Amino acid sequence: MIVKSSLLRFSMLILTLVSLSFNGFTQIQGSVKDSLSQPVPFANVQLMNVLDSSQVMGVMATEEGTYMISEFSPGRYIIGVSAVGYKPAWSASFEIKSSNDHIHLNPIIVESNVYQISDVNVVARKPIYELKMDRMVVNVENSITSSGNTALEILEKSPGILVNRQNNSISMAGKGGVQVIINGKQSRMPIDAVMQMLDGMNADNVKRIELITTPPAKYDAEGNAGIINIVLKKSEDFGTNGNFSLGAGVAKREKMNASLNMNHHVEKFNFYGLYNVNFNNQRSSITTYSSFEQNDDIVESYGKSNRSALVLYQNIRMGIDYTLSSKTTLSLLTNGYVRDYQMDAYNNINYLIENMESSRSRLETDELNKWIHGMGNINLNHRFHEEEVLDINIDYLNYYNNNPSDFTLENYNPEGEFVDGEDIEITKTTPIDILVGAVDYSNRKNEKVKWELGFKETLTWFNNDVAVKYFRDGRWEYDPELTNKSWLNENITAFYGSLNWQVSEKTGITAGLRYEYLNSVLDTEEEKGIVDLHYGKFFPTFYASQKLNKNNTIQFSYSKRIDRPTFNELAPFVTFVTPESFVAGNENLLPAMSDIFRMDYQLKSYIMSLSYTKTKNSISRFQPVYSEDGERQYFISMNLDKSENISVVLALPITVTEWWKMQNSLSWVWQRIATNYEGTYIDYKQNYYNLSSSQSFTLSNQFSAEVSGFYRSKSLEGIFVQKPLGRLDLGVQWRSKSQNSRLNLNVSDVFKTQVLKREAHVPELKIDNYYAIDWEPRILRLTFTHNFGNKAIKMRKRNTASEEEQRRVTQ
């Protein structure tokens, strides 16, 4: 009934706006390009009367070089363009015949007003890292070592970002609870699924990555560390264009990737699509150590796991935009992926008592983990006036996970003689359905004041069916402790409002308030209401910026955020690590609440950022606990009572010469966790730092090179201490004279130093664990990319209502 009522309300609103949309207003859209067809950002664009060249209206082009002019009378006009460093340019004359015309002009080409030496072309390139007021921007498309890599590998090298592939987590400036969004819109994809998506997404399809530390009230309050915005490539105006890339790599085994990106815009229709496929024949190894009590003895376990995995990831994204009138655009978007993961592992475990080998075990694993996802979105964007916009989204998402595993356990005595064995079978299926509706309204009252209002409703259902059984004495026996069926029903209702006030030319203030109310109930076959949460919270945001003078700016921000458990963390599940240790879910997880204070100071192109975060019930993943009888160890997500974080980030771009440019960043983080951990109070503190640098070299008109890398000292991850790690990448690039094609050759992790190592030594909890994971990171890659068709095609940036919802579905 709730679903039908919500759909009915949204459908009626869409029909009302569609009926109003045919009373449109005049609109002119176009773009400004240089002689190499590159966008000219922030150009002055003037609409002039043909008869006397008088100015009718003036606007400024966007960072992408696009502009839009609306609400003026019919007549004959021309467009004039001026920009610093370029000669003035004009469009051909055109006629506006009615007050409902919607015109797309060809790109206006401007020429540089600087004399050029014969046979030398100077092409402006954005730096790999850009620091803006509220975010760090990583320009992926300009990085040579990015080509052929995945978006996750690029994110992994970004300043202040820590990617943990073992427990599927991403932290920013030392804080977990990161929210990943696509093209500025939120999703409920869990962080595990996000990581798999990014690990299968070719970096050639990504334009930039934005690290947003203080998100505005428009975004869901989810993610206590901030937001990572993945911006996909887009283009402008009429025509057909696209690009494709083919790549191959080799490490211990082969890697292959391909992608196709196409856009077609004719009259009122805009079609676009993206497909990419990534194949990885992966070899990895995991080394483990743990100690535990057994029959009053301290048993030490040494394990070595050699894994062979075939990973095939396919992603498709298609959309249609239809311009109903100059006021209204109706859009349909579909997105989906299939991830096939097949893994064989051979685990050898040696057990010691008082330094003497007591037994041996061999555990063979055959695992299949398949994820299928489909999403449909309908969007209506209506402009009452140029600065008054209503945006409506309805999304439906479905995820289906099938994760069966077969284990063969053989036990031997110290002399290597077979003692006994058993077969273990685990089945797990998890279908998830999500329905999301969102309405966003924005209005600029004048040049100084802009305000926004919005509403969002999210409905979620999932089933989780996991079974563990052992083949003993000629028959299968279920493990009652690990076998479970559960059902979750959840809805989140949210309202927000924000105000942006440009107090003066040098002072700006933004304030927002978001309210979210959650109902979440998780039932199992054995117990109803095992999770039964009903609460509402306010999430304020505040941002102030003061420009001291031409070269100095200072800003301050505050936000309150929440980090909710992912669906799979709440759903019971189990994965074997060794015969006596498992990775499992935790249905008792609570959401984490954070207060975040931040101050930034900018001196020319140098920026220093200082932030302080205090979190209650912070979620720390992959933490060790023992069963009641002490014979089993589980690695689960846990709430920590209190955590604090202080971070300082320095960005130091340096131009050594015209052909050598450096982007450097230095991060220092102080961490503290204080919690009652399984009945024992612990209080840990840790300092760590992160250095990253990218060196770009222009070798000739067509050849360039890049050296990039990072180093991170030891840090805390719950009660685990993560050992130092680093990475160095090298790459060279060739571009054709037309700039339409490029060939990249690069090698990642040259010295093979990106090996994840963690240890936890807590004697009072009888916890002594260590593991090291070698993901086979060093890869030699060759990638060819070609752009085809019209270089100036308009593709609307398609946002949906459910980006945040997708974050919470884990793989």
Side-chain angles (χ1 to χ4, degrees), residues 357 359-360 411-419:
E357 187 176 17
S359 62
R360 303 175 189 175
N411 298 314
Y412 298 86
N413 63 25
E415 289 73 33
E417 299 171 339
F418 179 79
V419 177

Side-chain angles (χ1 to χ4, degrees), residues 140 146-151 154 201-207 233:
V140 177
S146 298
S147 185
N149 281 256
T150 68
I154 304 308
M201 180 184 293
N202 295 335
D204 290 326
N205 294 324
V206 180
K207 182 179 182 64
K233 291 181 179 178

Side-chain angles (χ1 to χ4, degrees), residues 536-645:
K537 297 287 184 181
F538 286 98
F539 300 93
T541 59
F542 178 79
Y543 177 88
S545 177
Q546 177 67 44
K547 193 173 184 63
L548 305 177
N549 52 46
K550 180 180 178 181
N551 295 323
N552 292 267
T553 301
I554 191 169
Q555 63 183 16
F556 170 80
S557 64
Y558 165 77
S559 64
K560 193 174 189 69
R561 309 286 295 171
I562 187 171
D563 184 21
R564 294 188 179 93
T566 64
F567 296 132
N568 274 24
E569 285 177 318
L570 292 173
F573 72 94
V574 63
T575 300
F576 276 72
V577 179
T578 66
E580 67 286 331
S581 60
F582 312 85
V583 178
N586 181 6
E587 64 272 14
N588 297 313
L589 275 179
L590 298 174
M593 302 291 295
S594 296
D595 293 283
I596 305 170
F597 302 85
R598 183 180 177 91
M599 185 175 66
D600 300 289
Y601 173 70
Q602 181 176 6
L603 172 62
K604 295 183 178 180
S605 58
Y606 306 111
I607 292 183
M608 181 181 73
S609 300
L610 172 66
S611 68
Y612 170 74
T613 302
K614 184 176 181 180
T615 304
K616 180 181 179 182
N617 293 326
S618 64
I619 298 175
S620 187
R621 294 167 172 88
F622 208 67
Q623 300 301 299
V625 296
Y626 284 102
S627 61
E628 292 184 2
D629 59 13
E631 294 184 357
R632 289 179 171 180
Q633 186 177 45
Y634 297 98
F635 294 93
I636 65 173
S637 295
M638 293 185 62
N639 288 116
L640 305 180
D641 297 336
K642 177 182 177 182
S643 65
E644 293 179 277
N645 177 288

Side-chain angles (χ1 to χ4, degrees), residues 116-224:
Q116 296 187 351
I117 301 174
S118 178
D119 297 328
V120 176
N121 293 321
V122 180
V123 180
R125 292 180 60 196
K126 289 184 179 180
I128 293 177
Y129 302 134
E130 285 186 284
L131 283 168
K132 298 187 177 182
M133 286 298 180
D134 62 341
R135 65 193 65 187
M136 165 85 72
V137 178
V138 183
N139 290 303
V140 177
E141 63 180 348
N142 291 327
S143 172
I144 297 169
T145 57
S146 298
S147 185
N149 281 256
T150 68
L152 184 64
E153 289 172 311
I154 304 308
L155 182 61
E156 204 165 21
K157 296 187 291 184
S158 300
I161 298 296
L162 177 61
V163 174
N164 185 334
R165 297 172 182 259
Q166 168 62 17
N167 61 5
N168 290 315
S169 67
I170 301 175
S171 64
M172 183 161 59
K175 297 174 290 183
V178 172
Q179 180 188 152
V180 178
I181 64 179
I182 305 294
N183 282 350
K185 291 296 287 185
Q186 299 158 298
S187 88
R188 177 77 45 115
M189 184 183 294
I191 197 65
D192 302 48
V194 167
M195 289 182 63
Q196 297 298 339
M197 179 190 69
L198 297 179
D199 203 24
M201 180 184 293
N202 295 335
D204 290 326
N205 294 324
V206 180
K207 182 179 182 64
R208 64 180 181 270
I209 298 174
E210 298 177 345
L211 311 177
I212 307 172
T213 53
T214 309
K218 178 178 180 179
Y219 295 108
D220 284 1
E222 185 76 28
N224 60 20

